Structures are given as C-alpha cells and as structure tokens.
C-alpha cells in the first residue's frame, strides 16, 4: 500500500482474497455447527462480510445464489428499525420477512455489528434455509403469507450478548423441529462471531483503521469489471418469453426484456403474469437476486462478487406481478418462479451473444417435503433436494443432475435417511432426458422413495417443469419433462399436500437440460460415447440425431 493510501494491484488482490477467505471460514463454521441436513448436506446458506455502511465486501465462495446481494438489502431494513446508533458489541439482529430478506419465511437472516473498540467497522451476516418455520409446511398451495409460518420483523436476537429469550421461546413454540431450527440459528451466530474475529485480525495485520477506503476500492474494481463486460455488448433491446406450469390450470408467463445502453444493463419484466393467490410469487428481492446472478455468470464470471458487481444492472418488475407481489401474497414456493429467470434472461442474450449463455436448465426440480413421526415417536421434517440436468452451451454438454441457477444439492442420502423414516431405493440418471443438440443437455435423474414409518406421513410436493421442460437454444431440443407418480400410477398434486401411507413409494423423474445447436451436427464420437455410457439409447440416436447403428 502506498503512503497516499492507494492499493497497488498485487496488494489489492491479496487483501481481497483474504476477505473472501474470512467469509469462507465463517461459512465453514456455520456448516460444521448446523443441525439440519438442509444446511449440512444441501448447501442452502450463505455468509457475507459487509462494511460499516452495509455494503457487501465478500461472500462465501459457494453461497446460495438466491442470497446474492440480498444481505445488504436486508440490513438496510434492519437499520431502519434499529439504527446504527443503538447497536453495541454482542448484538445480533434477526428477520425472516420475505419482502425485506430472501423472499420466503423459511430463510432466516441474522447480522452482527463488528466493533473495533467503540468504532463500528463492519457487519457479519448469514442466511440459512430452516427445516421448518411453522404454518403449513414448505408448500405452494397457501393463498397468503399469513398461512405460511411465523414472520419475524427486524429485532434483536441478542442484545449486548444477552439472548432475547421471549423471542427464542416464541420461535421454539411455533416450529415442528425446534432443536434443529434453533441449532441452525445458533450456527449462524457462531459463524458471525468467527467472521468478526477474523475481520479484527485482518485490520490489525494490515494496519488499516477501518474498511472504508478498501471497501470503496474493491467495489469500484468490481463495478468496473462488470461495466467493461456490458460495454462489450452492442446497444439494443432483446425480448424473450417463457412459460411455467403455474398452479393447476393457471399457467404463468415470464416476459423479459434486456436492454443495453453503454455500460449499463436493464432487465425489465413488464408483461409478466399478475400475482396469484398461491405461493408461487417471487418478491422483488428474490427476483433481483436471480436476475443479477445469471448475468454475472455469463458476462463477468471471474471477478469476485461484492456490492459493486451489481451497480451497472437494474431490475424492474411491475408491482402486483408474480415477480413483484404486494403483501400479503403467498410466497412459500417462490423458487418455482424465480428459477425460471435465468432462462428468460439467457433467451434474450442468446439473440446477440449466444456463445456466452447456456440453454435452459431443468430447475426447479421436484422437492418432496415430508413430516410426521418416526418409529421412535420423534417429530421429523425433511426435504429432499434433487437436481435435473443443466443446459448445454456452445462447445460444452450440459452437466448431469446439476442444478442451475441455484447450487443446492441432495447431499448424502445416508444423512437424509438417518433423519427421516424414508428410504431412497433408487437414484439413477435418466437415459435420453438431456435435450438433443450439437451439444447435449445434461441428464435428469430418477429417484424412488419409500415410506418406512408405522403411521402416515404428510407430503408437501413442490414441483414444476411437467408441462414446460427446459428449452433448447440455437436449434437444440428441449430436455425431458419432470414426472412424479406413486407406485399405483396415481399422480399427487405437484404443488399440494397429501398423505403417504406406510409402504407407499414415490417415483420422481427430474427433467433434463436443454440442448444447444442442431442435433445433426453432433460429433459422431461424442454420440458414440453417449451410447456407451447409457446416456442416449440407440432409438434416440437414430430418431433425434440421425445417427446410430
């Protein structure tokens, strides 16, 4: 660092990398001390280091994309209720308000102020998806948010290091698996304390008084990188529409217009379906997160993320639409809408820079949520995360059974089975499910579950892509659709609640990713490998690719 206080490029990279390592160490602490499989196995959490103004400086490397850029937004809401002047060491703020935070009640956000002596130097934040939040389970069939669980407005979970016992008693009394929920919240607080300690060590080691100048420099670098990437695009507007299954006979429409002007980019969802009286609504925060993330992946994938990464991008959606609903809209399954946004955006960009995007991926995939009592009489509430295929891109096949734009995963099946009276009998890749193309879409998978309890289990199914599978690009074909059936062939409501009896088996097909390019142009050697690996059958090779024996 020079005497003038400016950072040379080498020093800046070292400092930036260390800040990211602080967020990663906090994430490791959260992961290792959490109680639920949603955090430990499925990666549904994030940790963020913010400066004293609440701007993000570093996010953990594998944080869930839906939390991208949202902790600073949530913190601003928190500080509107509890001003910085009222904060002190040992405080921990908490909320799960969908409009202030990540879009549904199941995600709890906590933030701790970091003090150096009497001076506020930053904030350590974390968000995790809870195994339960009361209400009607994680489902899509509620008609307003008031049915979906307890709503915690910004308040202090800890005040000067003292636990707010009235709040924790209220939470414990309103959730099904209280030990897991409170254990995960405690893990977030632990992660934030790790982040705070490492930040203070960082300031001591570097000789910096605070993060002010470094934060401004890092944000400016990230901003410049994104603006440079946007400037490489021609000015213009591109429009694309995709459809989701919606709820029963009411399909939903996502209309997207991407406009580039100089070094700025706007995503506008005018023309999108109006909000509905079911839990498919995506609040503006969530819509924003799943708009900027795929743009970052396509245009500037290498620069580390911070607040500056998103300054050049604006996202708008009509108020009262399914992408910007008014309170008290139901929002529990907002991912059934938000995970379509990458496909809408990439459909726009494919018209001008097709080499930078991928075909549509098979997210959102079916997610069964089960609750009841196991053979020991203990309460359980578990969700099995699974992934369909990722879309293909120019020069690369899609990844099999890999989620995008989210990065949550099923994790260890053994850990899932140890926490719930459900056995996973089968988990296989589905042949021919990847969309045909010069570059093949990623394969989906087949998963079979059996209820092993002595009493019925309540099932809440959250599924889409049954009517509208992941679409292809540049002449590529769509992937296979999703499918959920019971052993007798009946189909449970894809977005409703039902009961499973002991011995019932649930069979789920996770869809395949879209293909990219004309299938007739697929390299014969690549198709031969697909045949050998069982990814493509002989019939599909002849029918879809015009090749095969």
């Amino acid at each position: 660092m020079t005497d003038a206080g400016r950072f040379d490029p080498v020093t800046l990279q070292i400092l930036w990398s260390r800040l990211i390592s602080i967020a990663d160490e906090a994430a490791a602490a959260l992961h290792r001390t959490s109680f639920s499989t949603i955090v430990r196995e499925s990666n549904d959490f994030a940790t963020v280091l913010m400066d004293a103004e609440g701007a993000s400086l570093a996010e953990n490397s594998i944080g869930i994309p839906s939390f991208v850029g949202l902790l600073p937004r949530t913190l601003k809401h928190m500080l509107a209720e509890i001003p910085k002047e009222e904060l002190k060491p040992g405080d921990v703020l908490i909320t799960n308000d969908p409009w202030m935070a990540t879009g549904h009640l199941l995600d709890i956000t906590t933030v701790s102020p970091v003090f150096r002596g009497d001076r506020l130097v930053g904030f350590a934040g974390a968000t995790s998806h809870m195994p339960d939040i009361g209400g009607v389970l994680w489902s899509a069939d509620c008609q307003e948010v008031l049915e979906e669980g307890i709503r915690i407005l910004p308040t202090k979970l800890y005040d000067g290091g003292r636990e707010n016992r009235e709040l924790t008693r209220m939470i414990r009394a309103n959730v099904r698996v209280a030990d897991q929920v409170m254990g995960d919240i405690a893990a977030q607080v632990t992660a934030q304390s790790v982040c705070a300690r490492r930040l203070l060590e960082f300031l001591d080691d570097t000789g910096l008084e605070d993060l002010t100048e470094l934060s401004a420099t890092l944000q400016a670098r990230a901003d410049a990188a994104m603006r440079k990437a946007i400037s490489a695009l021609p000015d213009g507007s591109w429009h694309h529409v995709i459809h989701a299954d919606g709820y029963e006979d009411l399909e939903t429409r996502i209309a997207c217009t991407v406009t580039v002007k100089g070094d700025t980019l706007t995503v506008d969802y005018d023309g999108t379906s109006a909000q509905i009286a079911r839990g498919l609504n995506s609040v503006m925060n969530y819509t924003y997160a799943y708009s900027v993330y795929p743009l970052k992946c396509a245009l500037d994938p290498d620069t580390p993320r911070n607040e500056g990464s998103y300054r050049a991008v604006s996202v708008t959606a009509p108020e009262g639409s399914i992408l910007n609903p008014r309170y008290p809209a139901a929002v529990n399954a907002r991912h059934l809408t938000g995970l379509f946004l990458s496909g809408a955006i990439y459909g726009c960009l494919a018209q001008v820079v097709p080499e930078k995007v991928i075909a549509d991926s098979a997210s959102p995939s079916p997610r069964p949520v089960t609750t009841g009592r196991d053979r020991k009489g203990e309460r359980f509430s578990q969700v099995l995360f699974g992934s369909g295929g990722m879309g293909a891109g120019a020069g690369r096949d899609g990844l099999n059974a890999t989620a995008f734009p989210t990065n949550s995963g099923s994790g260890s099946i053994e850990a899932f089975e140890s926490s719930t009276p459900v056995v996973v009998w089968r988990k296989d890749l589905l042949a021919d499910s990847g969309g045909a193309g010069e570059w093949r879409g990623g394969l989906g998978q087949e998963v079979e579950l059996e209820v092993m309890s002595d009493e019925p289990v309540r099932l809440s199914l959250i599924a889409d892509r049954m009517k509208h599978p992941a679409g292809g690009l540049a002449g590529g074909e769509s992937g296979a659709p999703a499918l959920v059936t019971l052993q007798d062939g009946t189909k449970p409501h894809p977005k409703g609640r039902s009961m499973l009896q002991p011995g019932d088996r649930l069979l789920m097909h996770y869809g395949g990713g879209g293909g990219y390019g004309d299938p007739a142009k697929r390299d014969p050697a690549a198709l031969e490998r697909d045949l050998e690996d069982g990814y493509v059958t002989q019939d599909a090779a002849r029918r879809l690719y015009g090749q095969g024996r």
Side-chain angles (χ1 to χ4, degrees):
M1 189 167 63
T2 67
D3 292 337
R6 296 180 180 178
F7 303 90
D8 65 80
V10 174
T11 299
L12 187 64
Q13 186 61 48
I14 293 171
L15 297 180
W16 203 345
S17 297
R18 185 165 172 186
L19 291 176
I20 295 170
S21 74
I22 290 173
D24 282 341
E25 187 172 349
L30 199 166
H31 181 266
R32 291 170 183 168
T33 59
S34 62
F35 280 50
S36 75
T37 58
I38 293 180
V39 174
R40 286 188 289 107
E41 301 294 334
S42 298
N43 190 56
D44 206 339
F45 71 96
T47 55
V48 178
L49 171 62
M50 296 167 280
D51 66 17
E53 299 304 315
S56 67
L57 274 178
E59 304 167 4
N60 72 299
S61 301
I62 59 170
I64 202 79
S66 61
F67 303 150
V68 166
L70 293 189
L71 260 163
R73 289 183 166 216
T74 306
L75 178 57
K76 287 179 174 61
H77 286 290
M78 290 175 163
L79 295 179
E81 298 289 330
I82 307 169
K84 287 194 286 187
E85 295 74 24
E86 297 180 12
L87 299 178
K88 54 184 173 296
D91 283 355
V92 178
L93 310 182
I94 186 172
T95 189
N96 71 338
D97 180 274
W99 281 262
M100 297 181 186
T102 67
H104 69 175
L105 296 169
L106 283 156
D107 293 335
I108 285 184
T109 297
T110 54
V111 178
S112 301
V114 182
F115 286 87
R116 195 181 193 195
D118 296 330
R119 186 174 186 178
L120 178 67
V121 294
F123 292 92
T127 302
S128 297
H129 188 296
M130 295 293 128
D132 187 72
I133 202 66
V136 296
L137 290 178
W138 188 13
S139 65
D141 56 356
C142 293
Q143 298 193 44
E144 58 182 12
V145 71
L146 300 171
E147 303 173 50
E148 295 178 337
I150 57 172
R151 177 173 167 231
I152 307 167
L153 294 178
T155 189
K156 288 188 178 183
L157 177 65
Y158 284 86
D159 188 349
R162 294 186 61 185
E163 181 185 30
N164 182 342
R165 294 194 175 183
E166 288 77 12
L167 176 60
T168 57
R169 289 177 65 234
M170 185 273 290
I171 296 173
R172 292 189 69 91
N174 284 278
V175 298
R176 295 174 177 83
V177 283
D179 288 344
Q180 288 188 43
V181 170
M182 297 312 301
D184 282 0
I185 294 174
Q188 291 184 206
V189 176
T190 297
Q192 289 162 200
S193 66
V194 170
C195 186
R197 288 198 304 272
R198 295 296 181 257
L199 174 57
L200 295 178
E201 291 173 4
F202 171 84
L203 294 175
D204 290 341
D205 292 347
T206 59
L208 296 171
E209 290 295 321
D210 55 37
L211 294 170
T212 303
E213 186 175 12
L214 178 59
S215 177
T217 303
L218 293 178
Q219 291 179 58
R221 287 294 184 97
D223 181 37
M226 179 59 86
R227 289 182 186 275
K228 180 180 179 181
I230 293 172
S231 296
L233 304 175
D235 284 2
S237 293
W238 304 275
H239 186 70
H240 189 67
V241 176
I242 61 175
H243 296 271
D245 294 355
Y247 195 89
E248 295 181 344
D249 294 332
L250 182 62
E251 294 186 1
T252 51
R253 178 179 190 268
I254 297 172
C256 178
T257 300
V258 171
T259 300
V260 172
K261 185 177 181 180
D263 63 357
T264 62
L265 186 150
T266 299
V267 180
D268 183 8
Y269 293 108
D270 187 34
T272 291
S273 297
Q275 71 183 69
I276 65 173
R278 298 294 177 184
L280 310 184
N281 301 292
S282 170
V283 303
M284 195 62 212
N285 269 6
Y286 195 78
T287 296
Y288 169 83
Y290 270 122
S291 298
V292 299
Y293 178 75
L295 287 170
K296 185 75 168 65
C297 292
L299 303 180
D300 180 33
D302 297 325
T303 307
R305 305 185 303 263
N306 64 34
E307 193 85 355
S309 301
Y310 320 116
R311 287 177 179 168
V313 178
S314 59
V315 181
T316 62
E319 187 177 5
S321 71
I322 200 170
L323 293 177
N324 187 12
R326 298 183 181 95
Y327 178 85
V331 293
N332 222 357
R334 85 286 198 234
H335 72 284
L336 292 183
T337 298
L339 293 184
F340 281 90
L341 300 185
S342 61
I345 290 170
Y346 285 174
C348 294
L349 293 180
Q351 299 170 46
V352 60
V353 283
E355 73 282 358
K356 289 185 176 292
V357 299
I358 62 174
D360 207 1
S361 300
S363 297
S365 298
R367 290 181 182 174
V369 184
T370 55
T371 188
R373 295 191 181 276
D374 61 23
R375 288 177 172 174
K376 297 179 181 179
E378 296 178 355
R379 196 69 182 259
F380 70 90
S381 180
Q382 289 289 328
V383 55
L384 179 66
F385 286 79
S387 302
M390 186 183 291
R396 58 194 183 278
D397 291 341
L399 299 177
N400 298 331
T402 302
F404 183 84
T406 185
N407 62 352
S408 58
S410 62
S412 165
I413 292 302
E414 290 77 11
F416 172 80
E417 291 177 334
S418 70
S419 304
T420 182
V422 175
V423 168
V424 180
W425 286 113
R426 196 167 25 157
K427 203 168 187 287
D428 299 324
L429 292 177
L430 271 173
D432 297 337
S433 58
E438 181 178 3
W439 304 98
R440 176 186 42 74
L443 271 61
Q445 58 180 316
E446 181 180 48
V447 179
E448 185 176 7
L449 314 175
E450 182 179 356
V451 176
M452 304 298 288
S453 63
D454 292 329
E455 58 184 84
V457 168
R458 181 173 293 278
L459 169 71
S460 174
L461 190 60
I462 310 174
D464 208 285
R465 295 286 189 187
M466 296 176 172
K467 301 176 186 176
H468 298 282
L473 275 183
E477 300 289 337
S478 297
L483 173 70
V484 182
T485 65
L486 294 172
Q487 74 269 27
D488 60 2
T490 60
K491 297 179 180 179
H493 195 295
K495 296 179 177 69
R497 287 165 284 163
S498 57
M499 298 299 293
L500 296 179
Q501 301 300 318
D504 276 354
R505 291 201 178 197
L506 188 70
L507 181 67
M508 298 180 292
H509 284 187
Y510 293 75
Y516 187 102
D518 184 354
K521 295 181 180 179
R522 184 152 179 83
D523 182 354
L527 186 59
E528 185 63 31
R529 287 194 299 272
D530 285 345
L531 290 167
E532 292 175 358
D533 293 336
Y535 293 174
V536 175
T537 62
Q538 287 287 351
D539 174 68
R542 290 189 294 268
R543 178 168 44 86
L544 299 176
Y545 293 93
Q547 302 181 43
R549 305 184 187 96

